[in-house]
Amino acid sequence: KVAKTGQKQIIFEDPTTALLHLLKKQPDAAKHKDIDGRTPLHWAICIGAPLEVMAALLEVWPHAAKEKDRRGSTPLYAACNKGSSFEIVAALLEVWPEAVKEK
């Protein structure tokens, strides 16, 4: 559901649907990094976002699996450290199998 107020649109959806909508409209949003070098993929893993979110982020920017944050951690490292599901770890390894050799 979208409500238009003047020039702005307000999305009244759950966070997953809102993020998927954003990635369809602005796929480059997946490439933004915060001050610590973390990508949206890093953050999605850290907050325990559903596999659907990880898959969408990897679909629009597969290279995100190779991005390291300021501490040198890859999304796979974050997923293992967080105790993410097998499906999330498998999705990351499918995109970049060599990640097992990185921090």
Side-chain angles (χ1 to χ4, degrees):
K1 297 177 184 179
V2 177
K4 293 185 178 183
T5 57
Q7 295 286 346
K8 298 180 181 181
Q9 289 186 348
I10 302 171
I11 301 173
F12 295 101
E13 300 172 295
D14 66 274
T16 298
T17 304
L19 178 64
L20 296 175
H21 178 77
L22 171 68
L23 289 174
K24 284 181 186 175
K25 296 285 187 180
Q26 298 180 18
D28 281 347
K31 297 180 181 180
H32 288 265
K33 293 185 177 184
D34 68 11
I35 195 166
D36 292 318
R38 287 176 287 224
T39 64
L41 182 60
H42 280 99
W43 276 109
I45 290 165
C46 289
I47 65 169
L51 179 61
E52 182 180 17
V53 170
M54 310 296 172
L57 288 165
L58 288 168
E59 183 178 328
V60 298
W61 191 39
H63 187 79
K66 297 180 180 183
E67 290 295 309
K68 294 183 179 183
D69 65 16
R70 195 171 79 183
R71 295 186 315 196
S73 299
T74 64
L76 178 63
Y77 179 84
C80 291
N81 192 42
K82 172 79 175 160
S84 295
S85 71
F86 171 80
E87 291 81 11
I88 288 173
V89 172
L92 293 166
L93 287 172
E94 184 176 325
V95 173
W96 188 38
E98 295 82 18
V100 296
K101 300 175 186 174
E102 301 287 331
K103 174 183 175 190

